Amino acid sequence: MRLGGEIMSVFISGLHYYGFALAIAAYIMRSQWFKRAGEQSLELALKRIKGIHILLHVALLLSLLTGFYRLFAGTDKAVAFYMKQGIFHGKLGLVFLIIFIELVCVFKAASWAKKGYVQNSKMQAKTFKIMHMISSHLYAIIPFIAAAVSRGMGL
């Protein structure tokens, strides 16, 4: 790999890790808003965390796109190295599960906003908090799986 390629590889890897850091910060901020707002005020919580959701989804997208770039551009290791690892496929499965959970959260929040947050707001808040908890805990596991993948575990 020539110097320009190495610099690009470092840049893309840095963006990838930066996306992880931003997502973790957004998850922590979202947790804090839920604690502050409490179950009695779903409307307040959802209005306040809209910006946090944008940050979280940009961070997740940044991590996903740079991860796929690193995979298919071969900036670190060849595609074959990753494709023969079962643990890598497990990691991708977790990533797509997190994306699915986040999309469900987004559509539920939009649906609740249209309804005026009135119907079953305590149950909705609890459901939203549980989905957030599942998503954030799954996301916290990914760096450990990534470390195992990069070391060739699961070959």
Side-chain angles (χ1 to χ4, degrees):
M1 189 183 294
R2 39 180 238 277
L3 181 60
E6 289 174 0
I7 291 172
M8 184 64 160
S9 174
V10 168
F11 180 72
I12 295 296
S13 293
L15 284 177
H16 189 66
Y17 302 138
Y18 189 62
F20 274 110
L22 280 175
I24 289 172
Y27 275 123
I28 291 169
M29 288 188 293
R30 189 164 72 173
S31 283
Q32 293 304 312
W33 272 114
F34 276 124
K35 285 179 186 173
R36 285 187 200 154
E39 288 183 7
Q40 72 278 0
S41 182
L42 177 65
E43 183 175 7
L44 175 65
L46 290 178
K47 282 182 179 177
R48 296 263 171 94
I49 63 172
K50 197 178 232 179
I52 295 169
H53 272 148
I54 292 169
L55 173 65
L56 174 62
H57 296 143
V58 166
L60 291 174
L61 189 62
L62 178 64
S63 292
L64 186 67
L65 292 178
T66 55
F68 279 129
Y69 180 84
R70 291 173 69 195
L71 173 65
F72 293 115
T75 58
D76 296 322
K77 295 178 174 85
V79 176
F81 173 81
Y82 294 108
M83 289 300 146
K84 64 184 176 182
Q85 292 188 10
I87 197 165
F88 175 74
H89 295 284
K91 176 186 166 189
L92 280 182
L94 273 180
V95 168
F96 289 119
L97 179 60
I98 290 167
I99 290 169
F100 174 76
I101 292 170
E102 288 299 323
L103 286 174
V104 168
C105 286
V106 165
F107 290 124
K108 279 192 177 292
S111 167
W112 295 335
K114 285 181 185 175
K115 293 177 185 174
Y117 305 99
V118 259
Q119 299 175 345
N120 302 322
S121 64
K122 285 192 178 194
M123 185 60 177
Q124 291 169 349
K126 191 170 187 166
T127 301
F128 201 76
K129 286 170 72 172
I130 289 169
M131 292 174 77
H132 159 68
M133 183 189 69
I134 291 169
S135 175
S136 60
H137 282 79
L138 289 175
Y139 196 76
I141 295 170
I142 290 178
F144 297 101
I145 295 172
V149 168
S150 69
R151 285 162 180 76
M153 296 173 78
L155 287 176

